Amino acid sequence: MWLKPEEVLLKNALKLWVTERSNDFFLLQRRRGHGEPTSRITGLLVGALDTMLDSNARVTPFRILLQVPGSQISWVIASGAAIEEVNKHWDWLVHNLLHSLSVFENKQDVASFVKGKVKGLIAEEVRGRQAAQEEDPEKFREVLLKFELHFGLPPSEKLVTYYSCCCWKGRVPRQGFLYLSINHMAFYSFLLGKEVKFVIPWAEVTRLERVSTGLMTEEIRVNTRQRQREFSMFLNLDEAFGVIGQLADIALRRLLDSEGLELDRVLQQPARITKRILEEQALREYVLALFRLPRGEKLFEVASCSVWTPHTRCHTAGTLYTTDSYLCFSSREEGSCILLVPLSEVLSIEKAESTSPLPNPVIVSLRTKKAFQLIELQDRNELVESLNSRLRALQWKQSMFRSKKNGRRSVSSPTPYYTFYYDTGYSDEEEMEEQVLRNTVNSEALMTAFHQNKPGTNSNKSVEQVKEQLWEDHFSEFGRGVHMFRTEKIQRLVAMGIPDSLRGELWMTLSDASSELESHQGYYTGLVQKSMGHSNLATEEIERDLHRSLPDHPAFQNPTGIAALRRVLTAYAHRNPKIGYCQSMNILASVLLLYAKEEAAFWLLVAVCERMLPDYFNRRVIGAQVDQSVFEELIRERLPELAEHVPDLSTLSSVSLSWFLTLFLSVLPFRSAICVVDSFFFHGIKAIFQLGLAVLEANAAQLCASTDDGQALMILTSFLDQVGSEESSRAPSSPPATEENSFSDADSPAAGHTNITNLINQSYEKFGDLTVRQIERLRCRHRIRVLQAHEDTIKENALRVVTPEVSISPENLADIYDLFKTEHFISLYWGDSSSAAAAEAAAWQYGDSGRSFVERQYRLDRPQFKSLYGLLAPWPGGTNQHTDTVANRTFTLLDQDRDNLVTFREFASWLDTLYCEDLNEKIRLLYRLHIPPALTESEDDPSLMKSPLVSTNRPLYVNLPSDDEGEVKNYQEQLKQMLQDLAKEKEKDVEKPLPLMNQREFIQFCKTLYSMFHSDPEENDLFQAIAKVTSLVLQIGEASHKGHSSGSEVTSQEEFKAAKATQATAEGEGSSTAESEWTVSYAQILASLLTEQVLVTFFEKPVDLSVTMTEAKENQYHQRAGLLTVQQGRS
């Protein structure tokens, strides 16, 4: 295979290689010992050496070298394990390159030419491998070459797919090709001699829509912040729209919300994304949502089959999905029959006897002595073998876990496992009793302890008994446990409300939290032990909200309930620090604790937060906002009359936010809200969407007639308050105050109240056609809007902070922010993995220095800053080397907190000085660029360790005079004095004089001035003027030096004090600066520059930042892409 050219100093180092074929420019060599008789000692030695090497370090036995006549350096350009493979490469070199190389006069050009050709061959092989993954490799290879030719993006910008389409400009169509890559969508058209092409980064896409027009049936509309584009195509419109949505969603989650892709490892490696991967990922997301599986589950097989369903006495056709830990079956009609079988419950998976008349039968046997029969499975043998291999691995893992668990248990103390103490300093018996209560895990649901039988509740008891009997009948027919058949019948039972005695069990079953509990025995207990007693932001918020969780329920008027809620929330915050604790989690956890044991309630909370409501409970509540945006679209689609009368649906969306975050627990009477939670555990988020639409439809007439937002809010609040349940409708008119449902007066039905069971059934009947697949597709599109809205807010906040500090116009400042952010994105697009990871880590770092998160959102490292410096610096840089040097100094100067990153505020302040400040500030900036810390001892290695530790404003330590007795104040007193001095200096608010500049620094200063005037119309006059100024400053410096040595005072008193302090500090730090060294002050340099009008005119000449910004926008992409391509080529 072809290799990236690598230098070899000695062609036959240590005689390890033997030359088989050669000519003037190439050598074909064989590894000594390969293909030789074993009797030769050298062959034996080399063979033994290669055998001892690690497999990653072993050398292929054949290679081809590029050699330049007269040079001792050669380059390895190809290698192979077989002589036939290397001979093919040799023949290609001889027939295609050898004759061309003889025409080069400079033999060094031969090496560059051949290395370029080899790199091209490698790139062609990469394209070939990428094209081989597509349906039509040759066609895709051709398209890939056109994509690279038309748009000039780096080779790492991987093309995913392409479509033939029309791009519309008004009513004028342009026929061409739409190219979709991992970071961009691009369009190219060439018709009638007119070329049209453009590139849209996914990071700029704000909205995707399918719209109907009069000319075509449908178009794909892509909105960015600047404009919108419409694309139409006769074929593959659905597929193209889906791929565009997926790529935009993946790119934005990777660029703007990288935390959201933590488990999707394939998508974290953009180079691996193909059209096939996108299809598999879309199917995986659908399966995870449909069966509400853990986010880390990997989808393996998808097979059509039929399952024997005893309740229908026939086989039900559908699809089998297999993952790491589950067998999942869904009927062809989504939701009519669902089966979920954890592999941990499976005993065996076997092919049925060949004598069976059924086609390809498979029997899945469970530990509960139950079995499922699957038929009509294609590739049955491979499927069963794959499932059995995963089953054996899982069983081995479980056996190892049980053996370790038993081993620990055998040496454990007899103390109960659930009692922990984190404070041994108790003052009395009552405090000790309270501490024990705070750390004792409850073994029963709170409703069991706080449910009291009161007079007049016989009717409620009879209702509960009827429900229990219905469920027992259902279990006998459909099964019990996670693997029971889930059909429309269970849907009707859930809508009636699950009986209290079964609610905890069924919540665990329907969410499959029971499998997590079973496979993590003792996990919750360990978390409680680790987390209790620790104090952090999450625990402080938890303590604040403990008594706000169902405050009227007797279970949470008691220390037992409060302690259980504290343990569950604190343990979860310890388990998942990215979420920690979020408001509304306390309400949800309280309800879970009422009906489930404490450990079960913890795993239910895990299921809700991490599987059923992903991204809901975090700092930015992205998931909840995405679903609110989806809900708005569903209102427009399902309730068009309401959407027509209420054009701004944001009001309804803001009202419904609490419906989704708390599952209606905060807005419905308690007994009614519990029925909603029952439906949620059965249907997932689909139940909340359906119920929300049903509530709005029931109040549509009144909402259409409402005049303001407040009236609409009152209509919905009044309606929800009157939604009752069967228990509440049968309850006495004045229930006892201590009844568990008495904390919501609305549980007592008012006239014309709505029954929650009827409302849920109506939502099923009217909006039951809403499928999980539709919801997932809508989420994919609306996540784009939500993430971009967050970006807009971050930008607005950043500009609000910086605008008062600079004189740059708001329009230009916004453009600067966009350039700043784009530079960060470019590193993520095409930088190497280490630089991309560092950039992303810097973008998400916040909260550790008192500065706001917004200010620290995007920060640039040194290479990124130098790229923008070249685009935005107003003065010509002369040689590239000196421009790079000044850019390095500028970065070091701006990096005030010495973290090797520059914030947007620092960057904007620098540009403000260059473009908007007066001559004095510009000269001051140039002056500071040529004194420490900006000017380092070694310009080649501008590390902070090389910089003299000299402050530009004040000494680093306080040089306090000693008294007559020679006593010196201790460190704490010096620190106090320093703090007092800093406070005084802040109060004075007087700009400190700059340190003096020595001769070496002044020479660098002059060098920079000379480099600034290249290509200026007044170049000759400027050079003459700077020569005069340099001569004048040198004379002043000499005079100052002589004056200091003779005791005269040339500089001002303040500058002299600053210079002496700086010199004292430098001496204390080991600086080599001598007291008698030639120095000059900032004031002297400024005064000298002011003597030359041509220099004053140059620095005061206004520079149009808008023009510079326009050019920077045009050049940033391709300039930065070219630099990264060159860097990757050199590496």
Side-chain angles (χ1 to χ4, degrees), residues 31 44 66 168 420 425 454 529 531 666 675 786 986 1106 1129:
R31 186 75 165 174
L44 289 173
L66 164 67
W168 293 82
F420 306 104
K454 295 295 179 179
Q529 187 175 18
S531 60
S666 63
C675 294
V786 172
K986 189 174 181 180
S1106 301

Side-chain angles (χ1 to χ4, degrees), residues 952-967:
T952 57
N953 294 326
R954 66 188 310 278
L956 292 178
Y957 67 93
V958 182
N959 190 13
L960 296 173
S962 59
D963 55 15
D964 296 338
E965 299 178 0
E967 296 180 356

Side-chain angles (χ1 to χ4, degrees), residues 341-342 345-348 364-372 483:
V341 182
E345 297 290 325
V346 175
L347 189 62
S348 65
V364 179
S365 303
L366 305 185
R367 300 182 186 278
T368 57
K369 299 182 179 180
K370 187 175 181 180
F372 297 100
H483 42 71

Side-chain angles (χ1 to χ4, degrees), residues 986-1035:
K986 189 174 181 180
E987 291 174 358
K988 292 178 182 178
D989 197 21
V990 177
E991 193 169 11
K992 306 301 178 295
L994 295 172
L996 301 181
M997 179 182 286
N998 62 32
Q999 195 166 12
R1000 168 182 169 268
E1001 296 163 354
F1002 179 69
I1003 291 173
Q1004 294 296 324
F1005 179 80
C1006 294
K1007 186 177 180 180
T1008 300
L1009 287 180
Y1010 274 104
S1011 69
M1012 292 168 54
F1013 306 140
H1014 287 285
S1015 304
D1016 191 276
E1018 305 292 333
E1019 182 178 351
N1020 292 334
D1021 295 338
L1022 287 169
F1023 281 142
Q1024 293 179 8
I1026 198 61
K1028 295 179 182 178
V1029 168
T1030 303
S1031 176
L1032 178 59
V1033 173
L1034 287 172
Q1035 294 175 12

Side-chain angles (χ1 to χ4, degrees), residues 762-1061:
Q762 289 173 12
S763 71
Y764 289 155
E765 293 171 3
K766 296 181 179 179
F767 307 106
D769 59 333
L770 179 65
T771 64
V772 173
R773 192 183 298 273
Q774 291 172 349
I775 293 175
E776 287 304 303
R777 287 175 177 172
L778 289 172
R779 279 176 165 177
C780 181
R781 284 171 39 211
H782 287 269
R783 192 180 293 110
I784 297 171
R785 303 184 190 180
V786 172
L787 290 176
Q788 292 290 21
H790 272 272
E791 280 300 295
D792 292 339
T793 302
I794 290 173
K795 178 179 178 179
E796 291 171 4
N797 292 338
L799 296 180
R800 188 182 300 114
V801 170
V802 175
T803 298
E805 302 175 359
V806 298
S807 302
I808 301 174
S809 67
E811 295 79 11
N812 285 337
L813 193 62
D815 290 341
I816 293 171
Y817 182 90
D818 292 338
L819 278 178
F820 195 85
K821 184 174 75 170
T822 301
E823 194 65 34
H824 170 80
F825 285 163
I826 288 175
S827 292
L828 298 182
Y829 292 160
W830 306 313
D832 57 32
S833 57
S834 59
S835 63
E840 191 66 5
W844 285 105
Q845 185 179 355
Y846 63 95
D848 57 348
S849 63
R851 294 185 294 179
S852 65
F853 169 79
V854 171
E855 183 184 353
R856 300 177 69 101
Q857 176 66 39
Y858 294 113
R859 303 187 294 174
L860 302 185
D861 59 15
R862 192 178 296 269
Q864 294 168 335
F865 173 81
K866 288 162 64 175
S867 174
L868 285 185
Y869 180 94
L871 292 170
L872 298 176
W875 301 313
T879 62
N880 291 333
Q881 181 178 358
H882 191 71
T883 301
D884 187 74
T885 299
V886 176
N888 273 319
R889 294 176 189 165
T890 306
F891 179 86
T892 304
L893 181 65
L894 296 180
D895 181 19
Q896 298 177 0
D897 50 5
R898 299 296 180 262
D899 58 357
N900 288 322
L901 295 166
V902 169
T903 66
F904 174 67
R905 171 185 281 183
E906 295 164 344
F907 186 78
S909 175
W910 168 69
L911 282 181
D912 182 62
T913 301
L914 294 182
Y915 284 91
C916 302
E917 293 290 353
D918 57 15
L919 178 143
N920 290 8
E921 291 302 318
K922 294 178 182 178
I923 301 302
R924 174 181 288 273
L925 174 62
L926 287 173
Y927 186 91
R928 294 179 63 196
L929 289 176
H930 297 83
I931 58 175
L935 182 68
T936 60
E937 292 181 2
S938 173
E939 296 287 357
D940 296 331
D941 183 16
S943 62
L944 297 178
M945 299 303 296
K946 296 276 187 178
S947 304
L949 298 178
V950 181
S951 171
T952 57
N953 294 326
R954 66 188 310 278
L956 292 178
Y957 67 93
V958 182
N959 190 13
L960 296 173
S962 59
D963 55 15
D964 296 338
E965 299 178 0
E967 296 180 356
V968 180
K969 294 184 178 180
N970 60 27
Y971 171 76
Q972 292 183 350
E973 292 174 336
Q974 289 191 16
L975 186 59
K976 284 183 179 179
Q977 184 64 38
M978 179 182 289
L979 293 175
Q980 291 175 1
D981 292 348
L982 289 172
K984 290 179 182 178
E985 291 174 359
K986 189 174 181 180
E987 291 174 358
K988 292 178 182 178
D989 197 21
V990 177
E991 193 169 11
K992 306 301 178 295
L994 295 172
L996 301 181
M997 179 182 286
N998 62 32
Q999 195 166 12
R1000 168 182 169 268
E1001 296 163 354
F1002 179 69
I1003 291 173
Q1004 294 296 324
F1005 179 80
C1006 294
K1007 186 177 180 180
T1008 300
L1009 287 180
Y1010 274 104
S1011 69
M1012 292 168 54
F1013 306 140
H1014 287 285
S1015 304
D1016 191 276
E1018 305 292 333
E1019 182 178 351
N1020 292 334
D1021 295 338
L1022 287 169
F1023 281 142
Q1024 293 179 8
I1026 198 61
K1028 295 179 182 178
V1029 168
T1030 303
S1031 176
L1032 178 59
V1033 173
L1034 287 172
Q1035 294 175 12
I1036 294 175
E1038 290 295 331
S1040 176
H1041 174 59
K1042 293 178 181 179
H1044 285 312
S1045 61
S1046 62
S1048 61
E1049 188 171 309
V1050 178
T1051 60
S1052 67
Q1053 187 175 1
E1054 290 183 355
E1055 289 175 347
F1056 182 72
K1057 289 180 180 179
K1060 294 300 291 180

Side-chain angles (χ1 to χ4, degrees), residues 240-507:
F241 185 67
V243 173
I244 290 173
Q246 275 187 277
L247 286 172
D249 177 47
I250 291 170
L252 289 177
R253 291 166 70 185
R254 179 167 52 88
L255 299 172
L256 308 182
D257 188 32
S258 58
E259 296 173 342
L261 280 181
E262 182 179 4
L263 296 177
D264 301 331
R265 301 188 182 277
V266 174
L267 304 183
Q268 288 181 339
Q269 302 174 9
R272 295 180 56 187
I273 296 178
T274 63
K275 184 179 176 183
R276 186 180 306 168
I277 291 291
L278 292 179
E279 293 171 353
E280 294 174 356
Q281 185 65 22
L283 181 59
R284 175 181 174 272
E285 292 287 343
Y286 166 68
V287 172
L288 294 184
L290 178 62
F291 298 98
R292 298 183 290 282
L293 303 180
R295 307 304 296 176
E297 286 293 305
K298 181 180 179 181
L299 182 64
F300 285 97
E301 293 92 7
V302 179
S304 297
C305 69
S306 296
V307 172
W308 173 256
T309 49
H311 55 278
T312 61
R313 300 187 182 279
C314 68
H315 286 88
T316 300
T319 305
L320 176 70
Y321 306 94
T322 69
T323 69
D324 295 299
S325 309
Y326 294 91
L327 295 177
C328 312
F329 174 82
S330 176
S331 58
R332 290 176 179 173
E333 182 182 353
E334 182 183 292
S336 63
C337 182
I338 286 180
L339 178 64
L340 181 65
V341 182
L343 281 180
S344 58
E345 297 290 325
V346 175
L347 189 62
S348 65
I349 302 174
E350 300 173 323
K351 293 178 285 186
E353 296 295 334
S354 58
T355 57
S356 172
L358 299 173
N360 296 333
V362 172
I363 304 298
V364 179
S365 303
L366 305 185
R367 300 182 186 278
T368 57
K369 299 182 179 180
K370 187 175 181 180
F372 297 100
Q373 184 187 71
L374 288 72
I375 64 172
E376 299 176 346
L377 278 164
Q378 299 294 328
D379 301 324
R380 179 184 64 161
N381 295 340
E382 292 81 357
L383 177 63
V384 172
E385 183 179 353
S386 175
L387 287 173
N388 276 320
S389 65
R390 294 204 297 276
L391 181 61
R392 287 192 295 269
L394 182 62
Q395 291 172 345
W396 177 84
K397 182 179 178 182
Q398 289 176 336
S399 65
M400 293 296 294
F401 175 78
R402 281 193 294 268
S403 63
K404 289 183 179 179
K405 179 183 174 183
N406 294 333
R408 288 195 301 267
R409 186 178 297 172
S410 63
V411 298
S412 62
S413 65
T415 305
Y417 79 96
Y418 48 78
T419 303
F420 306 104
Y421 302 96
Y422 62 86
D423 187 359
T424 57
Y426 303 120
S427 59
D428 50 36
E429 293 182 0
E430 292 183 359
E431 186 174 353
M432 180 178 291
E433 183 179 349
E434 181 182 353
Q435 295 297 333
V436 173
L437 180 63
R438 288 166 63 95
N439 297 278
T440 302
V441 176
N442 292 337
S443 59
E444 296 294 337
L446 293 179
M447 188 64 77
T448 304
F450 293 93
H451 182 77
Q452 300 179 3
N453 294 326
K454 295 295 179 179
T457 61
N458 292 330
S459 60
N460 288 349
K461 287 184 179 180
S462 63
V463 171
E464 287 289 300
Q465 291 172 357
V466 171
K467 288 182 179 180
E468 289 174 2
Q469 186 59 48
L470 289 173
W471 276 99
E472 292 297 335
D473 295 341
H474 182 275
F475 291 149
S476 64
E477 184 178 3
F478 293 87
R480 188 167 190 166
V482 176
H483 42 71
M484 68 179 174
F485 288 99
R486 308 180 191 192
T487 64
E488 294 180 355
K489 183 177 179 180
I490 195 175
Q491 172 182 302
R492 293 192 293 271
L493 287 176
V494 169
M496 293 170 58
I498 300 174
D500 290 349
S501 60
L502 297 174
R503 182 165 275 132
E505 175 192 342
L506 283 170
W507 284 357

Side-chain angles (χ1 to χ4, degrees), residues 637-649:
E637 178 183 333
R638 303 301 182 101
L639 304 173
E641 293 183 2
L642 178 61
E644 183 179 351
H645 285 83
V646 186
D648 185 9
L649 295 177

